[in-house]
Amino acid sequence: MIESDLVRRPGTPGRAATAGVAIIAVAVMAGAAAAERSRLAGSLTVLARLHWTWLPVGILLEALSMAAFAAMFRRLLSAGRMRPARTSMLATIYAANAMSVSLPLAGPGLAAAYLFRRFTRLGAGALLAGWALLAGGVISSATWALLLVSGGLASGHTVALAITVPFVAFAIIVTAMIVAAARRPRLRAALEQYLTQALKRGSRMLRWPATDPKLALRAWAERFGALRVPPSSWALATGDALVNWLADAGVLAVSILAVGAAVPWRDLLLVYVAGIGAQSLSLTPGGLAITEGAISVALVASGLRVGQAVAAAVLYRLISFWLIAAVGWLMLLVLRSRRPAAEAAPEPELEPAPGPPPATEPSAHELVLLHGQPGTAADWRAVMARLPAQLHAVAVDRPGYGASQRPAAGFDANAQAVLKDLDERKVDSAVLVGHSWAGGVALRAASLAPDRVQAVVLLAGVGPGSVSILDWLLAAPVFGPLSARLMWRWTPWIARARLAWLSRRQGRPLHPDEHVSLQVWGQQDGGVEPVWRTFLTEQRALLGELAELEAALPTIAVPVLLLADPADPIVPIMTAQRLVSELPDARLRLVAHASHHLPRRAPDAVAEAITDFLATLDESQATDASVPACCAAHGPRG
């Protein structure tokens, strides 16, 4: 499961649309470069003759842009009566932005998780932190659309008006409907039904894999409608977002003035929007080369010479990208090194069981431990070391991972692999323990073969409300494979380099619970196919099979224990709550301060919870067996 939001400007336009713009921009720029090589070489001369007095103005405008973005999130968090210090929020936004622009594709997701964690450490609850990230994305999208239509109107070009005005009218209508639906459940249900049918028809037309977008739409709507905010707060947050965009556009204008060119004021917003659209692709860190090319082409089209256009684009990116990223990494180091003791990561804590603790330890049980997406059997080592000796736990690499020789597959095929493994080991029944994506595997196996599954333990398991819009996009053709390839080509290499540096600095190998996200992303390829293909296969299965699994929940009668952290940024706590309400025999225990990867971050709490759960089941079964047949048949009389 991967759930992410764009961090610095979450509301960037759709990647499918901007991909075409960027490709055209790069192609046109390449043609211009071939035709006017001498003029491009002249751009270096232009940069050497900058009007340096404009440089401080550009830096101040960019600082204002970042401050406005931080103010927007601070205002949104105040909706939950939480008001962090301005300096802390500003440092958080700088650090998250640096993380977002430094990694292709995976950067925004990791930065969103960092923002979520920082918001909770600053005092926000999990619900408020997730809502603020989502609401910030909606506001940024709306203000980006406003800039687009303003640019079209200011340019006066017929073609620009024909494209921007209908687009923005549609965006305004959609935004208004989203706000209304968040407050009116009946309207929300009707919109979910309509959009589900529309997206399914579009998927068939585009020959996308058969997926059910209703799960993602419902989860998105529930999260967005979690808090009620007065109109004045929405208006002020929107004003902050507008300042963020306009100040950054001002940096572009200052960059043009600094290279000695005249600012094309009528076309400036359209030029700026083209650059931001290209940057949002995240195919390269911070949209390197793509963004510069798009801005240069747009400036040439608005009347600047090629040398001036390229020089202005490079100067704009030096201020808005390189300088801000450098400051962001500095802020990240400062936040890590100067974090006060009160903010130090606390030890994971297991919420006490709702009933009395079991009187004895559990009897012998066979446990099958299923790792998440991505992951390996090694994720369970710390948990296995803490389980009582009478609990025989087996952890193997799932299909497509590590030493497994089975190809990657969905929930159904993974469940069949679990049952086949039990047959090969001559095990009649077992307790299945599934983390994250593999929680669906455990539930599916219990549905297919209830006589072979004694009980199920879910650690941050997927279920109703766990699918995001990004999950749906990552299952799509073209975008899904491209994203998976890029993520697993660059991010693991960067993660492994970072882990090696940390290990050298500390003079010892890292423990499994240290820098867990880096360790998970830094795993080596294994199995019969590359990890990126396994990831893609499971993403598509998540969308294609989760609806069927959700429909089968009321029929899964085996006892189920759910472990979850209320601040989990990947699978929201409401997923565990809905699983408890829809499964016939389920109970929930919370593990605070563990985040999403419970097997590595909270092995003590996980082992304790599993032990208590199975001991309670043994006591319950012993009590049932001791009840006389007459009483069992007729029940107690009142």
Side-chain angles (χ1 to χ4, degrees):
M1 277 288 301
I2 287 188
E3 176 179 294
S4 66
D5 297 279
L6 296 178
V7 174
R8 183 180 172 202
R9 299 181 174 93
T12 47
R15 294 187 177 184
T18 53
V21 175
I23 291 170
I24 293 172
V26 172
V28 172
M29 194 62 191
E36 304 189 50
R37 290 187 296 272
S38 60
R39 295 188 181 184
L40 281 176
S43 65
L44 297 177
T45 305
V46 175
L47 282 173
R49 297 175 181 174
L50 284 178
H51 298 285
W52 294 101
T53 53
W54 287 109
L55 195 59
V57 178
I59 294 173
L60 287 175
L61 284 172
E62 192 60 37
L64 174 62
S65 174
M66 295 295 291
F69 196 64
M72 180 190 72
F73 276 115
R74 187 168 179 267
R75 201 178 302 278
L76 291 173
L77 289 172
S78 68
R81 299 186 178 182
M82 176 256 181
R83 203 157 181 88
R86 287 186 175 86
T87 53
S88 297
M89 181 56 66
L90 187 60
T92 297
I93 293 302
Y94 269 99
N97 179 68
M99 193 178 298
S100 175
V101 301
S102 298
L103 296 175
L105 290 175
L110 294 175
Y114 174 79
L115 268 183
F116 184 94
R117 186 166 64 250
R118 281 287 300 170
F119 287 171
T120 56
R121 285 178 176 171
L122 290 173
L127 178 65
L128 176 60
W131 176 86
L133 286 172
L134 182 59
V138 172
I139 292 173
S140 289
S141 297
T143 51
W144 183 89
L146 182 60
L147 282 186
L148 179 61
V149 73
S150 299
L153 292 172
S155 69
H157 299 313
T158 304
V159 175
L161 290 173
I163 295 174
T164 58
V165 173
F167 173 80
V168 174
F170 175 75
I172 292 173
I173 293 172
V174 169
T175 302
M177 293 178 69
I178 288 173
V179 174
R183 296 173 175 268
R184 294 173 175 81
R186 292 181 62 183
L187 176 60
R188 184 169 65 215
L191 284 175
E192 284 178 5
Q193 186 66 26
Y194 175 79
L195 289 174
T196 297
Q197 295 303 319
L199 289 171
K200 282 183 176 179
R201 292 193 187 98
S203 297
R204 285 195 294 268
M205 292 176 60
L206 297 172
R207 298 182 180 179
W208 285 21
T211 60
D212 188 356
K214 187 174 183 178
L215 299 174
L217 292 170
R218 182 181 300 169
W220 193 93
E222 287 178 353
R223 294 179 201 179
F224 187 74
L227 292 178
R228 298 293 179 88
V229 180
S232 58
S233 295
W234 284 113
L236 291 172
T238 301
D240 292 329
L242 272 174
V243 173
N244 166 238
W245 289 112
L246 291 173
D248 194 54
V251 178
L252 178 59
V254 167
S255 300
I256 297 171
L257 291 171
V259 299
V263 178
W265 294 109
R266 295 180 59 184
D267 299 329
L268 181 65
L269 286 179
L270 284 182
V271 172
Y272 174 71
V273 166
I276 293 300
Q279 181 179 342
S280 69
L281 291 171
S282 295
L283 296 178
T284 58
L288 281 175
I290 298 175
T291 305
E292 288 84 347
I295 293 176
S296 300
V297 169
L299 287 176
V300 170
S302 65
L304 269 70
R305 297 196 305 271
V306 172
Q308 291 177 326
V310 174
V314 170
L315 181 59
Y316 164 73
R317 293 284 284 165
L318 284 173
I319 298 173
S320 65
F321 172 64
W322 290 104
L323 177 62
I324 298 302
V327 173
W329 280 112
L330 179 61
M331 291 291 184
L332 186 62
L333 292 174
V334 170
L335 288 174
R336 291 180 65 86
S337 62
R338 296 187 178 180
R339 189 165 58 194
E343 287 192 12
E347 290 294 324
E349 297 177 359
L350 178 66
E351 178 191 65
T360 60
E361 285 196 344
S363 58
H365 288 279
E366 182 78 17
L367 273 63
V368 177
L369 309 180
L370 306 170
H371 64 79
Q373 175 213 33
T376 65
D379 293 343
W380 294 103
R381 287 175 183 167
V383 174
M384 295 172 69
R386 290 163 172 79
L387 290 171
Q390 66 270 27
L391 298 181
H392 180 246
V394 175
V396 296
D397 295 324
R398 290 195 298 101
Y401 292 103
S404 174
Q405 295 305 304
R406 294 188 175 103
F411 295 130
D412 192 85
N414 268 263
Q416 294 289 357
V418 170
L419 298 174
K420 185 176 180 180
D421 178 68
L422 293 179
D423 291 337
E424 293 174 351
R425 294 192 291 119
K426 295 182 171 50
V427 176
D428 293 332
S429 62
V431 177
L432 304 186
V433 184
H435 171 237
S436 192
W437 192 95
V441 178
L443 291 173
R444 185 59 178 156
S447 174
L448 292 173
D451 57 320
R452 307 292 305 278
V453 180
Q454 296 175 359
V456 171
V457 180
L458 303 179
L459 281 61
V462 296
S466 63
V467 178
S468 70
I469 293 294
L470 183 60
D471 287 314
W472 194 66
L473 288 174
L474 289 173
V478 182
F479 183 87
L482 180 61
S483 301
R485 277 178 177 269
L486 287 170
M487 277 193 295
W488 292 104
R489 180 176 180 84
W490 296 108
T491 307
W493 180 83
I494 295 172
R496 288 194 290 270
R498 173 71 172 164
L499 288 169
W501 179 81
L502 289 168
S503 180
R504 286 195 302 271
R505 190 182 70 171
Q506 298 182 18
R508 59 172 176 81
L510 298 176
H511 298 302
D513 61 343
E514 293 182 292
H515 307 286
V516 172
S517 296
L518 289 174
Q519 293 199 43
V520 171
W521 278 98
Q523 69 174 354
Q524 300 281 351
D525 270 354
V528 295
E529 53 192 345
V531 176
W532 75 265
R533 193 177 296 279
T534 298
F535 172 83
L536 178 63
T537 299
E538 293 189 344
Q539 277 297 121
R540 291 179 171 176
L542 178 69
L543 272 294
E545 300 180 30
L546 191 57
E548 181 183 357
L549 180 63
E550 183 178 340
L553 291 178
T555 68
I556 300 176
V558 302
V560 179
L561 170 66
L562 296 102
L563 300 178
D565 183 350
D568 188 340
I570 307 299
V571 177
I573 187 60
M574 72 176 184
T575 294
Q577 294 167 339
R578 288 184 59 181
L579 283 169
V580 168
S581 66
E582 296 182 29
L583 288 164
D585 184 6
R587 63 212 73 180
L588 172 63
R589 293 188 71 177
L590 303 179
V591 184
H593 316 305
S595 192
H596 181 67
H597 213 298
L598 278 74
R600 284 180 179 264
R601 285 200 171 104
D604 290 309
V606 170
E608 178 186 343
I610 293 174
T611 303
D612 292 349
F613 173 58
L614 295 181
T616 302
L617 289 184
D618 291 341
E619 288 183 359
S620 177
Q621 291 173 0
T623 302
D624 292 343
S626 65
V627 175
C630 61
C631 296
H634 300 289
R637 296 181 183 272

